[in-house]
């Protein structure tokens, strides 16, 4: 079965060229020229890769990416003329897996596509459950006690996994250290602040793009912590 790619970009000439090149490599390609249509198509069909422009009519690429990451860990390759470091970092932190600035060489484009699809294939063959808990680029397999980020496995300790699962199953809820300790350590809290903080710090280093500016496990000053990654 040919791998399916969804391209969301309003540059018709570029889309036709890229589609032709991708088809020569054996991929099945669908094009949408605005963000709203692209998101609808993604929600109605199954794709192995999304190629996404950031500057789109009706719904911009950031909005589309955010909606995709609420429900799916499918790899997303961002193509854009926005070449500032801030734009790149914003896209990656929102869940993009790779980033190419226009103009780019066709050979590099095809190499990025191949790499992302290969990682996605490895992820799907890794034995993870059919319905993992998805949070941004994280996929949490509760039964197999495995965590993948962008298709790649993360090595978590048993307690780190328990801590991440607890947060991910309760997105947006703020928990005190006492509540976290009781739920994860299954014991009465003995005011061992350092134990919880050490585990959260180690976990952040493994799951966050930037542990100093986390987007998954957030500190609520004066109260405790909450999970910031939406799950679906």
């Amino acid at each position: 079965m040919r791998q399916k790619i969804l391209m969301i970009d309003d540059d018709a000439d570029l889309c036709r060229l890229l589609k032709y090149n991708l088809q020569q490599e054996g991929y099945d390609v669908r094009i949408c020229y605005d963000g709203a249509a692209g998101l609808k198509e993604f929600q109605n069909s199954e794709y192995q890769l999304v190629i996404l422009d950031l500057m789109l009519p009706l719904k911009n690429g950031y909005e589309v990416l955010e909606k995709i990451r609420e429900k799916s860990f499918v790899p997303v390759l961002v193509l854009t003329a926005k070449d500032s470091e801030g734009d790149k970092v914003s896209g990656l932190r929102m869940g993009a897996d790779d980033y190419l600035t226009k103009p780019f060489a066709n050979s590099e484009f095809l190499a990025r596509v191949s790499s992302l699809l290969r990682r996605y294939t490895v992820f799907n063959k890794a034995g993870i459950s059919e319905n993992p808990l998805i949070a941004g680029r994280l996929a949490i397999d509760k039964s197999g006690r495995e965590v993948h980020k962008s298709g790649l496995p993360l090595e978590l300790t048993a307690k780190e996994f328990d801590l991440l699962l607890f947060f991910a199953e309760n997105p947006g809820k703020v928990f005190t250290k006492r509540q976290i300790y009781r739920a994860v350590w299954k014991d009465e809290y003995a005011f061992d602040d350092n134990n919880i903080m050490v585990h959260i710090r180690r976990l952040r280093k493994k799951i966050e793009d930037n542990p100093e500016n986390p987007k998954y496990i957030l500190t609520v000053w004066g109260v405790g912590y909450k999970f910031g990654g939406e799950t679906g």
Side-chain angles (χ1 to χ4, degrees):
M1 181 181 297
R2 294 200 300 172
Q3 292 174 303
K4 295 178 62 179
I5 297 174
L6 175 62
M7 188 181 306
I8 310 174
D9 196 316
D10 61 344
D11 187 335
D13 291 336
L14 177 63
C15 285
R16 282 193 292 267
L17 175 61
L18 295 182
K19 180 177 181 179
Y20 173 80
N21 291 334
L22 289 169
Q23 288 177 328
Q24 294 302 302
E25 298 294 319
Y27 301 119
D28 184 2
V29 183
R30 174 68 187 272
I31 300 174
C32 291
Y33 296 104
D34 67 73
L39 186 57
K40 182 177 180 181
E41 173 62 27
F42 177 79
Q43 293 170 337
N44 291 335
S45 301
E46 182 177 345
Y47 289 93
Q48 284 73 55
L49 174 67
V50 176
I51 298 171
L52 177 67
D53 187 21
L54 291 181
M55 303 299 289
L56 292 168
L58 301 185
K59 191 180 290 288
N60 67 48
Y62 292 112
E63 294 176 285
V64 174
L65 179 57
E66 183 178 20
K67 291 298 182 183
I68 288 175
R69 281 292 171 258
E70 287 179 3
K71 298 295 182 182
S72 174
F73 52 86
V74 65
V76 176
L77 172 60
V78 166
L79 303 183
T80 182
K82 297 170 70 68
D83 60 355
S84 76
E85 189 68 21
D87 292 323
K88 179 177 180 179
V89 170
S90 295
L92 293 174
R93 285 183 177 173
M94 289 185 67
D97 296 275
D98 206 348
Y99 193 108
L100 269 177
T101 302
K102 301 175 184 177
F104 48 81
N106 183 60
S107 58
E108 182 179 7
F109 168 71
L110 292 176
R112 301 286 185 97
V113 167
S114 176
S115 176
L116 289 173
L117 286 169
R118 183 168 58 251
R119 284 162 51 187
Y120 184 70
T121 300
V122 170
F123 173 81
N124 283 334
K125 291 181 178 180
I128 199 165
S129 65
E130 293 184 1
N131 296 300
L133 183 61
I134 304 299
R137 287 189 286 158
L138 299 178
I140 305 168
D141 178 5
K142 184 175 180 178
S143 59
R145 294 184 63 82
E146 295 180 354
V147 179
H148 289 69
K149 181 178 180 180
S150 298
L152 300 177
L154 300 180
E155 294 186 5
L156 303 186
T157 66
K159 195 59 67 178
E160 289 168 351
F161 179 87
D162 292 340
L163 190 59
L164 176 60
L165 181 63
F166 170 71
F167 279 119
E169 289 184 327
N170 299 279
K173 296 182 180 179
V174 179
F175 293 97
T176 65
K177 294 183 179 71
R178 179 187 295 274
Q179 291 171 319
I180 295 170
Y181 202 87
R182 285 177 173 175
V184 177
W185 274 261
K186 309 297 183 184
D187 200 357
E188 283 300 316
Y189 182 58
F191 299 100
D192 187 5
D193 283 6
N194 189 57
N195 193 22
I196 293 177
M197 292 171 65
V198 166
H199 277 81
I200 288 178
R201 183 166 62 248
R202 289 175 179 170
L203 181 57
R204 280 174 170 164
K205 288 182 178 180
K206 296 179 180 181
I207 68 174
E208 302 282 0
D209 293 334
N210 180 5
E212 299 302 318
N213 186 24
K215 69 175 183 179
Y216 291 110
I217 299 179
L218 308 179
T219 300
V220 181
W221 296 107
V223 183
Y225 300 91
K226 71 175 182 178
F227 192 73
E230 293 188 26
T231 57

